[in-house]
Amino acid sequence: MRSADIAIVGGGLSGLYTAYRLEQMGVKEYLLIEARDALGGRIESTPEFSPGDSDRFDLGPTWFWPDLQPQLDRLVHDLALERFAQFEEGDMLVERAQGEPPLRTRGYINTPTSMRLAGGMSSLINALGHRVDVSRIMTGHTVHTLNIAGRYVEILCEDSSGHTSRVRARHILLAVPPRLLVERIGFTPPLPQSLSEQWRATATWMAPHAKYIAIYERPFWREHGLSGEARSAIGPLNEIHDASTPYSSGALFGFFGVPAQIRSTVPEEILLSHCRKQLARLFGPQAATPKAEFIKDWAMETHTASAADLIATGDHSRAPVNTPTSGPWHSKITGIASEWSPQFPGYVAGAIDAVDLGIRALPKMFRDDQNS
């Protein structure tokens, strides 16, 4: 059985940033446990088309806003990551009804400016991953039970072959969305009912959504004074944006307006075909032949979406309480996933905010533990 002072459950941005922060603090006795075979969670980018290729496109979250989210911006700066502004110059297109040509209208310029990372948001994950002790990371292990065992919490996790491992830690930092946590992980003794209900009612950001990305040799729509932005009441994509990189490739991405339960009944090739036809309606025949295309349906990700998320609206929830205030679980667990951020629940910056709050609470938790 492996032991640590702190166990981090979940290897998305929250979990990986926690490991980074702990290392900066000189805390070495931690373990990070991630169910997927790779780190990143809801941050995922398209694969490289060739070795060293910087053209990667976000399948999960895309933007951040430095003026509003200084904590995340400082991290981007500290990791020496390159950022660039979302392209928004030119007109946008609007599809109002079947059979009507798209309406061309003045586009919107976001204030403050929406920013992106060169190489996609995955560059943030990669940079953090290079700065933590890989021997402290267990990927491919799904946590299914947390048991209080005296002064410790015993974690039972299972790998892809069905083999169960046990980890013992004094404190658990939960980098898993609260709704998914209470649906998939058993607690012995049970969590307080009011807390469990609150966590279950907290929607998981990205979980009901799906994205389509079409990649081209160049952003040809800009040559016609178009921003690449579009809105549609026809679909299948209801919101479209320019996803081009600042160096070479052009790209468009869109969010599906088709509910998750309906998407699950349609073969991917048919969805791809409908997306290409929609882009051709909007941006002309060149848009019908991308050099590559991708669909990422987060509702089909078992380590992201719970049953409740399949019928969710996709809105951001208000941040729930991040730790029991009394009872046996008090001072033993703290939620640090993005949904626990009071400032930016569900956003990329929310992961940084929630972790910083959890880290600041750790010294008091240790004192409570020692005095119990």
Side-chain angles (χ1 to χ4, degrees):
M1 178 188 297
R2 297 186 70 175
S3 297
D5 285 334
I6 299 169
I8 307 162
V9 178
L13 177 57
S14 296
L16 197 51
Y17 177 61
T18 300
Y20 169 77
R21 285 291 312 278
L22 292 176
E23 298 241 359
Q24 285 186 316
M25 295 163 57
V27 178
K28 302 297 185 181
E29 291 302 313
Y30 73 86
L31 286 173
L32 186 155
I33 307 169
E34 164 57 33
R36 293 178 172 91
D37 291 329
L39 300 171
R42 286 170 280 177
I43 292 180
E44 184 178 339
S45 302
T46 58
E48 295 177 351
F49 293 104
S50 60
D53 188 357
S54 63
D55 279 352
R56 301 188 68 192
F57 305 90
D58 290 309
L59 298 166
T62 299
W63 302 299
F64 71 106
W65 296 268
D67 293 344
L68 298 176
Q69 300 166 339
Q71 292 168 289
L72 174 58
D73 192 46
R74 281 196 297 273
L75 177 63
V76 168
H77 179 270
D78 291 345
L79 297 175
L81 300 177
E82 180 183 352
R83 65 183 195 181
F84 64 96
Q86 169 68 29
F87 183 83
E88 296 179 312
E89 299 174 16
D91 293 339
M92 68 179 292
L93 299 171
V94 180
E95 285 190 310
R96 292 181 171 177
Q98 193 78 41
E100 293 184 6
L103 174 68
R104 181 167 176 160
T105 185
R106 180 178 296 180
Y108 297 105
I109 303 296
N110 282 300
T111 304
T113 302
S114 302
M115 302 296 290
R116 292 166 54 194
L117 292 180
M121 277 289 174
S122 288
S123 63
L124 180 58
I125 298 298
N126 294 338
L128 289 171
H130 289 142
R131 289 165 171 80
V132 300
D133 183 354
V134 295
S135 70
R136 293 287 171 183
I137 297 175
M138 299 170 58
T139 56
H141 285 75
T142 302
V143 173
H144 57 78
T145 307
L146 298 178
N147 300 322
I148 293 180
R151 297 169 64 85
Y152 291 88
V153 177
E154 186 178 71
I155 305 166
L156 274 65
C157 52
E158 190 174 281
D159 63 18
S160 58
S161 65
H163 177 262
T164 297
S165 298
R166 285 176 167 79
V167 173
R168 191 176 69 165
R170 296 175 60 207
H171 298 288
I172 313 296
L173 294 174
L174 301 167
V176 178
R179 174 178 285 173
L180 195 67
L181 180 77
V182 294
E183 182 177 285
R184 304 288 172 80
I185 297 179
F187 289 80
T188 304
L191 291 173
Q193 184 175 349
S194 60
L195 183 68
S196 180
E197 290 175 353
Q198 187 181 127
W199 287 2
R200 191 180 298 275
T202 303
T204 302
W205 179 239
M206 289 302 296
H209 295 290
K211 291 179 73 171
Y212 168 78
I213 298 176
I215 302 170
Y216 304 93
E217 294 295 340
R218 70 183 196 284
F220 56 84
W221 49 92
R222 297 182 186 178
E223 300 163 13
H224 306 288
L226 295 173
S227 66
E229 188 167 353
R231 300 292 183 272
S232 177
I234 302 170
L237 307 173
N238 63 355
E239 181 182 330
I240 298 169
H241 299 271
D242 188 310
S244 307
T245 67
Y247 306 111
S248 53
S249 295
L252 294 165
F253 89 83
F255 292 101
F256 279 87
V258 182
Q261 290 180 313
I262 296 176
R263 292 196 308 266
S264 66
T265 67
V266 182
E268 184 173 287
E269 278 304 315
I270 293 178
L271 289 175
L272 290 169
S273 174
H274 282 298
C275 290
R276 291 193 297 268
K277 289 177 182 177
Q278 181 180 9
L279 294 187
R281 290 196 310 264
L282 290 164
F283 300 103
Q286 281 180 284
T289 55
K291 68 177 184 180
E293 57 186 342
F294 300 88
I295 288 177
K296 181 65 179 186
D297 195 333
W298 290 98
M300 301 299 109
E301 285 281 326
T302 58
H303 298 307
T304 296
S306 68
D309 290 312
L310 301 183
I311 56 173
T313 60
D315 295 331
H316 291 276
S317 290
R318 184 177 179 179
V321 174
N322 68 350
T323 188
T325 56
S326 62
W329 287 104
H330 173 60
S331 82
K332 293 191 180 296
I333 57 173
T334 302
I336 57 167
S338 178
E339 281 73 17
W340 274 292
S341 163
Q343 292 191 78
F344 312 109
Y347 289 94
V348 174
I352 308 306
D353 180 43
V355 170
D356 285 346
L357 292 174
I359 291 288
R360 285 201 295 269
L362 273 178
K364 181 178 185 303
M365 291 168 64
F366 276 116
R367 289 198 301 273
D368 287 348
D369 195 350
Q370 290 167 350
N371 296 330
S372 61

